[in-house]
Amino acid sequence: MDTNGIPSRLRAADTDRERVASLIQAAGGEGRLTLEEVEDRLSTVYATKYTDELDGLTSDLPRPAPKRRPVAFGHPAVRIHLAVAVALSVLLIVRWTVSGVPFFWPAMPMFWLAVSVLAHARIRGARGSFRRGGGAAVA
């Protein structure tokens, strides 16, 4: 143990072993490792006790790029729609302030403006993932 009471070596959990095993299998599928190397490393993965030993098994393999979520409001048409909805909301609030009506009546039109922008962003996002290959194949 070190001075803080934390063990210097942590025991590996099954999730740690599975994460490393999937990296090794992916590297074997890409042709970076031979079948014998994959078998050797996988047998070592399931026999390891500590996390630092697991790190050594994949140190010579490239790390997978983190998956990024597409930006929902990244499309120019959605941004224009959002700008128009905000401008209309501001005009509705100004109109409500000038009118002197005691209840906040712009809430309902602003709600539907927000729903329309969110639906537009959702449709644009789904359409973009379908074009990138995320949709179903049609014969």
Side-chain angles (χ1 to χ4, degrees), residues 18-27 30 32 58-68:
E18 289 298 323
R19 177 183 50 82
V20 173
S22 66
L23 288 173
I24 292 171
Q25 289 170 345
E30 294 171 352
R32 296 183 189 276
T58 58
S59 62
D60 61 340
L61 300 174
R63 296 280 176 217
K67 294 183 180 179
R68 294 178 21 178

Side-chain angles (χ1 to χ4, degrees), residues 79-131:
R79 281 189 262 159
I80 291 171
H81 189 165
L82 179 64
V84 169
V86 168
L88 286 173
S89 297
V90 168
L91 289 174
L92 287 171
I93 292 172
V94 168
R95 174 68 188 211
W96 170 73
T97 306
V98 172
S99 70
V101 177
F103 62 95
F104 188 66
W105 59 264
M108 207 58 188
M110 288 171 57
F111 169 76
W112 288 113
L113 285 170
V115 167
S116 70
V117 170
L118 292 175
H120 188 181
R122 176 72 184 220
I123 290 169
R124 283 287 179 182
R127 194 179 292 167
S129 67
F130 183 75
R131 288 186 182 145

Side-chain angles (χ1 to χ4, degrees), residues 14 17-18 21-22 25 41-48 54 57:
D14 288 338
R17 290 185 193 94
E18 289 298 323
S22 66
Q25 289 170 345
R41 289 187 188 204
L42 287 178
S43 63
T44 307
V45 163
Y46 292 114
T48 56
L54 290 174
L57 293 171

